[in-house]
Amino acid sequence: GQTGCYEEALDAYRQATDLYTQVAGTWQNQVDCLYCTGIILNELERYEEALTTFQQILDLYTQVTGTGHQQADCLYCTAFILRTLGRYPEALTAYRQALDLYTQVAGTGHQQAICLYNIGNTLDDTGMSKEALDAYQRAMDIYRTLPDTQQDQANCLHNTASTLREATDRHEEALDTYRQALSLYQQVTGTGFQQANCLSNTGRVLDDIGRYEEALDAYRQALDLYRQVTGTEQDQADCLNSMSLTLRKAG
């Protein structure tokens, strides 16, 4: 299976790294092998080992000038793993360090924006909604200057709306932001699942404020889209569950 292939690849990369360390002038090869090792360890959910590997790579890069971009990539991967582990303060620090480095490298707008988007997600994880909204807005500002980022912009808007939804007095803003996100997703093929999520969350907001008929309409649209995407049985069930709760409220 896939795990077996990964294990074999991991072993090969480790042997290669060991051999490269014995050969002069193969510094870049060593780093490349370590980077692939880190990615595979992450895939295998061996997170602690992956973190150690990315730290090794970072240590190697910091000894070489002009590697700001590579150092930022390392920190980004580190942050991603730390967030997966629920180590949010450490993840935030690593994301911010990555962002600082990316801003010093020309042509890294996309990387800067995705750092800010993930900073927003991490802040939202810890209930710092005001700061999260600010990070999403900064990400949006960058994405709007870049071509072909409709889906990235939509992701930002969707998560902004979900953060607004948690704030009791900002339902209308949340609804408007979900609509904007949906409109952008509709411009991108293969985003049926994301469109369905938008509609399902729109339904929840409408339900919260007692607009039951509109909520039911949003849920039905979401359900239609979920049914076109494989592996969404739980999403479909959640949608049907939400619909039945709303129908009971609507009497």
Side-chain angles (χ1 to χ4, degrees):
Q2 195 178 24
T3 304
C5 289
Y6 277 147
E7 292 287 358
E8 203 174 331
L10 204 55
D11 187 47
Y13 278 128
R14 285 192 162 140
Q15 288 183 55
T17 308
D18 289 344
L19 289 165
Y20 279 133
T21 53
Q22 298 166 42
V23 183
T26 60
W27 178 86
Q28 187 62 57
N29 305 83
Q30 291 173 46
V31 173
D32 291 344
C33 279
L34 280 169
Y35 200 84
C36 293
T37 301
I39 298 293
I40 292 172
L41 286 166
N42 181 47
E43 289 286 334
L44 290 168
E45 297 180 13
R46 286 160 63 176
Y47 298 124
E48 292 301 335
E49 289 172 82
L51 285 174
T52 305
T53 305
F54 284 118
Q55 187 57 56
Q56 278 178 277
I57 305 165
L58 190 60
D59 292 343
L60 285 167
Y61 275 131
T62 49
Q63 296 165 35
V64 179
T65 54
T67 60
H69 195 306
Q70 292 90 336
Q71 290 176 46
D73 290 345
C74 264
L75 286 159
Y76 179 85
C77 291
T78 300
F80 190 86
I81 297 167
L82 288 166
R83 183 178 172 227
T84 305
L85 291 169
R87 288 160 64 176
Y88 300 125
E90 291 170 87
L92 275 174
T93 300
Y95 275 132
R96 286 179 173 138
Q97 288 174 338
L99 180 62
D100 285 345
L101 284 167
Y102 281 133
T103 53
Q104 295 166 42
V105 181
T108 60
H110 207 280
Q111 290 92 332
Q112 291 172 45
I114 199 133
C115 265
L116 284 161
Y117 171 71
N118 280 303
I119 286 169
N121 290 340
T122 312
L123 287 163
D124 197 47
D125 290 336
T126 56
M128 295 167 73
S129 53
K130 188 174 174 292
E131 293 86 347
L133 290 170
D134 180 54
Y136 291 139
Q137 185 56 58
R138 287 174 65 198
M140 276 298 287
D141 292 342
I142 296 173
Y143 278 133
R144 284 185 175 128
T145 69
L146 300 170
D148 305 317
T149 58
Q150 285 91 335
Q151 187 165 348
D152 299 300
Q153 291 178 45
N155 292 341
C156 263
L157 287 165
H158 179 272
N159 289 15
T160 296
S162 296
T163 304
L164 288 166
R165 187 181 150 231
E166 298 301 313
T168 46
D169 56 342
R170 302 185 75 172
H171 292 116
E172 288 301 330
E173 284 175 85
L175 283 174
D176 185 50
T177 310
Y178 277 131
R179 281 189 203 105
Q180 290 176 50
L182 180 61
S183 171
L184 281 167
Y185 280 132
Q186 287 167 340
Q187 296 172 34
V188 184
T189 51
T191 59
F193 179 71
Q194 290 88 341
Q195 291 175 45
N197 281 347
C198 259
L199 286 158
S200 162
N201 286 323
T202 298
R204 290 193 180 96
V205 180
L206 289 163
D207 179 85
D208 288 343
I209 55 177
R211 286 159 63 178
Y212 301 128
E213 286 305 320
E214 290 170 83
L216 287 167
D217 186 48
Y219 286 138
R220 287 183 188 114
Q221 288 181 60
L223 192 58
D224 285 345
L225 283 166
Y226 279 135
R227 283 177 172 148
Q228 295 167 43
V229 183
T230 52
T232 60
E233 288 78 11
Q234 187 178 338
D235 302 289
Q236 292 175 44
D238 289 344
C239 219
L240 287 161
N241 187 29
S242 297
M243 280 171 75
S244 34
L245 289 169
T246 305
L247 283 161
R248 280 165 60 193
K249 287 187 204 171

